[in-house]
Amino acid sequence: MTLHHFHLKADWPGGRNEVGYIESDKLKTKISIPKEMDGPDIGTNPDEMLLGAAATCYIISLGALIERARLPLAEMSMDSEGIVDVTEGVFTYKKIIHKPKIFLTNEADEKQLQRLDKLVKQAESSCMISKAIAGNVELELQAETGIQ
């Protein structure tokens, strides 16, 4: 078994509407509550970071699966949406929707396109962030695939 350790240092001056700072190996940014939640909206926030973690994990996992399957990738991009519910002052991260757009080159055949459609679904179940939030945050895929 191999364990990977990731470290993050957080500084927070106190109070709900303050601005803090986080720093890890590659991530260095201010943090605060977003404007949607009546915060100062400076830097990033936990909602955006969870969405970013889920989206980057998914698209990197999908890229690795496509590479291993040796599919002729032409283009891949994605939009993701996070939905947070506020009921009686309680904030709950309800859902993440990934909207990947993946196109194979015009040399691809129908069998390869079908394989791509399977990999699009498989990437969600193989992503460690998706596994970590499973049962707590609903995950939805709205994929667009095709041949260019």
Side-chain angles (χ1 to χ4, degrees):
M1 175 170 70
T2 302
L3 297 177
H4 299 277
H5 296 258
F6 299 91
H7 302 275
L8 182 135
K9 180 178 177 6
D11 291 312
W12 189 258
R16 180 189 187 283
N17 287 323
E18 299 292 336
V19 177
Y21 185 80
I22 58 172
E23 182 174 334
S24 63
D25 184 34
K26 304 278 188 299
L27 176 65
K28 297 164 180 39
T29 187
K30 291 180 179 181
I31 56 170
S32 71
I33 294 174
K35 67 178 177 266
E36 295 85 355
M37 297 175 184
D38 298 320
D41 200 37
I42 296 172
T44 191
N45 58 72
D47 310 281
E48 194 173 70
M49 290 177 58
L50 180 59
L51 180 60
T56 55
C57 185
Y58 173 81
I59 202 160
I60 290 169
S61 296
L62 179 56
L65 290 171
I66 290 169
E67 180 180 75
R68 278 188 225 123
R70 295 188 174 139
L71 295 179
L73 182 64
E75 179 184 334
M76 181 166 60
S77 64
M78 186 171 73
D79 291 324
S80 292
E81 177 181 0
I83 300 170
V84 176
D85 174 59
V86 183
T87 302
E88 296 180 16
V90 177
F91 293 79
T92 305
Y93 216 115
K94 297 299 273 186
K95 185 181 211 178
I96 292 175
I97 305 167
H98 294 312
K99 303 170 187 175
K101 294 179 181 178
I102 311 101
F103 297 96
L104 301 179
T105 64
N106 60 8
E107 294 120 25
D109 58 29
E110 196 58 37
K111 185 177 176 182
Q112 289 173 312
L113 185 57
Q114 290 172 359
R115 178 77 176 129
L116 175 63
D117 289 335
K118 288 179 185 174
L119 295 178
V120 165
K121 294 176 183 92
Q122 183 182 340
E124 191 70 70
S125 61
S126 65
C127 164
M128 72 174 176
I129 301 298
S130 297
K131 291 177 190 177
I133 63 176
N136 294 306
V137 178
E138 181 185 347
L139 297 168
E140 182 180 322
L141 279 173
Q142 297 177 4
E144 180 184 341
T145 61
I147 296 174
Q148 284 190 339

